[in-house]
Amino acid sequence: MASAAEVTVHGRVVPVPAAAVRKAVRAVLEGERRHAAVSVTFLGREAMRQMNHHHKGHDFPTDVISFALPDPRGGLLGDLYICRWQAEREARRRGLPLREELLRLVIHGTLHILGWDHDDGAGREASTMWVRQERYLRTVL
């Protein structure tokens, strides 16, 4: 298979098995007919705040940050960072299981790695990317 996902957890208990994370990444890559090696790392609140500050200039934690680099052999290399703390807040706010929100963020970040984007604000959940994301999420829950 040309697509892969590597999962690392930095001192955090993550209520979603690595196999489910790999399945979510694979669902997006196969659905989009793209090839990529994606590394998924779960971070705590402070580590994500620092990353967001360093890379985006925002001094607060965010839910997901993704980076994509072209692979010299074709395809893409992607790094995906997810903040469990922020995911917990969003899951509580929306009345969803944490596992669902974490998988949503895996899919969301993978789509960003592939070049998808969305507007911020009110139109975000109506965007083509969001609709795509939710379709992939239904296939892995």
Side-chain angles (χ1 to χ4, degrees), residues 11-39:
R12 305 283 174 236
V13 176
V14 180
V16 56
V21 172
R22 284 190 289 273
K23 180 179 178 182
V25 170
R26 196 173 302 116
V28 174
L29 295 175
E30 289 175 0
E32 297 296 311
R33 295 185 174 102
R34 300 285 300 277
H35 301 287
V38 178
S39 172

Side-chain angles (χ1 to χ4, degrees), residues 59-82:
D59 196 20
F60 52 84
T62 190
D63 52 2
V64 61
I65 295 177
S66 57
F67 302 96
L69 294 169
D71 183 345
R73 300 165 295 175
L76 289 170
L77 302 173
D79 286 328
L80 178 56
Y81 298 89
I82 296 172

Side-chain angles (χ1 to χ4, degrees), residues 77-96:
L77 302 173
D79 286 328
L80 178 56
Y81 298 89
I82 296 172
C83 179
R84 178 193 166 138
W85 179 81
Q86 194 67 26
E88 286 173 339
R89 288 181 51 167
E90 184 64 14
R92 271 194 309 273
R93 185 184 76 75
R94 296 176 68 179
L96 301 171

Side-chain angles (χ1 to χ4, degrees), residues 72-122:
R73 300 165 295 175
L76 289 170
L77 302 173
D79 286 328
L80 178 56
Y81 298 89
I82 296 172
C83 179
R84 178 193 166 138
W85 179 81
Q86 194 67 26
E88 286 173 339
R89 288 181 51 167
E90 184 64 14
R92 271 194 309 273
R93 185 184 76 75
R94 296 176 68 179
L96 301 171
L98 177 57
R99 178 181 188 277
E100 179 178 332
E101 185 61 19
L102 288 169
L103 289 173
R104 176 176 284 108
L105 294 174
V106 169
I107 291 165
H108 187 89
T110 303
L111 285 167
H112 274 310
I113 287 168
L114 297 180
W116 284 93
D117 207 358
H118 54 80
D119 290 333
D120 290 332

